[in-house]
């Protein structure tokens, strides 16, 4: 009898563990999906504002520290960043004719060690361009761009 009781208790524990394991990841996955959606939206808004300014011949977003602070970590949000770089890191060049824009989370690791990885792909002047934006969570809980990495210019 003792063996059957231990087996039944072990089976109940295993079933409870399986049931709990099935519940916990779903909530975690939903939270991660909401977080990654927020990070994607930050990149979309950043790209849209950058493009709007470019198309209207206005001061580049990356040269306007106050305006870029909404999207970038403090270390990158300062006046004349694009001027100091001497090119446009968002388009990967100085001129732009953007088409086929796609902004999506990294399929393999959308959030890695607390940082969101967002892929931005498009064609510029007909040439394919591929970027990875890394976003970190700011103290106020919003996502901010910490890095823009060109997969084409290594």
């Amino acid at each position: 009898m003792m063996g059957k009781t231990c087996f039944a208790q072990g089976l109940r524990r295993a079933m409870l563990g399986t049931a709990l394991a099935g519940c916990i990841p779903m909530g975690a996955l939903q939270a991660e999906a909401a977080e990654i959606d927020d990070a994607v939206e930050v990149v979309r808004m950043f790209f849209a504002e950058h493009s709007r300014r470019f198309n209207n011949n206005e001061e580049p977003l990356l040269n306007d520290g106050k305006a870029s602070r909404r999207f970038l970590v403090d270390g990158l949000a300062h006046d004349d960043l694009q001027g100091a770089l001497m090119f446009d890191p968002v388009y990967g060049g100085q001129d732009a004719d953007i088409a086929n824009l796609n902004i999506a989370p990294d399929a393999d690791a959308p959030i890695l060690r607390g940082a969101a990885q967002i892929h931005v792909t498009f064609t510029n002047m007909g040439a394919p361009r591929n970027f990875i934006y890394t976003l970190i969570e700011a103290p106020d809980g919003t996502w901010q761009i910490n890095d823009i990495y060109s997969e084409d210019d290594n």
Side-chain angles (χ1 to χ4, degrees):
M1 281 301 234
M2 186 69 141
K4 288 183 181 179
T5 303
C6 289
F7 176 77
Q9 288 174 342
L11 183 60
R12 274 190 292 241
R13 285 187 193 123
M15 290 173 58
L16 178 61
T18 301
L20 289 175
C23 293
I24 294 171
M26 181 56 95
L29 289 175
Q30 290 172 339
E32 185 174 286
E35 286 183 40
I36 202 67
D37 288 347
D38 291 345
V40 168
E41 187 60 22
V42 168
V43 174
R44 283 185 206 284
M45 291 185 316
F46 172 76
F47 203 94
E49 179 62 13
H50 184 80
S51 297
R52 184 192 67 74
R53 287 170 172 248
F54 180 86
N55 292 330
N56 292 333
N57 294 316
E58 296 176 17
E59 177 182 30
L61 177 58
L62 294 177
N63 282 346
D64 184 344
K66 185 177 179 183
S68 65
R69 193 164 282 117
R70 173 177 164 204
F71 305 105
L72 304 173
V73 295
D74 289 343
L76 297 176
H78 56 82
D79 291 337
D80 203 34
L81 175 63
Q82 187 169 319
L85 295 172
M86 299 190 328
F87 81 107
D88 183 339
V90 178
Y91 296 148
Q94 292 181 341
D95 296 318
D97 181 19
I98 306 301
N100 305 313
L101 175 64
N102 185 50
I103 301 172
D106 182 293
D108 296 324
I111 296 182
L112 180 63
R113 295 185 177 150
Q117 308 293 313
I118 309 299
H119 281 263
V120 177
T121 60
F122 54 87
T123 57
N124 186 7
M125 307 279 204
R129 301 295 295 167
N130 302 287
F131 295 86
I132 299 174
Y133 283 61
T134 302
L135 292 84
I136 60 173
E137 201 168 339
D140 67 359
T142 61
W143 288 105
Q144 289 186 312
I145 298 167
N146 186 54
D147 188 40
I148 301 172
Y149 174 77
S150 171
E151 293 185 306
D152 306 312
D153 299 324
N154 322 4

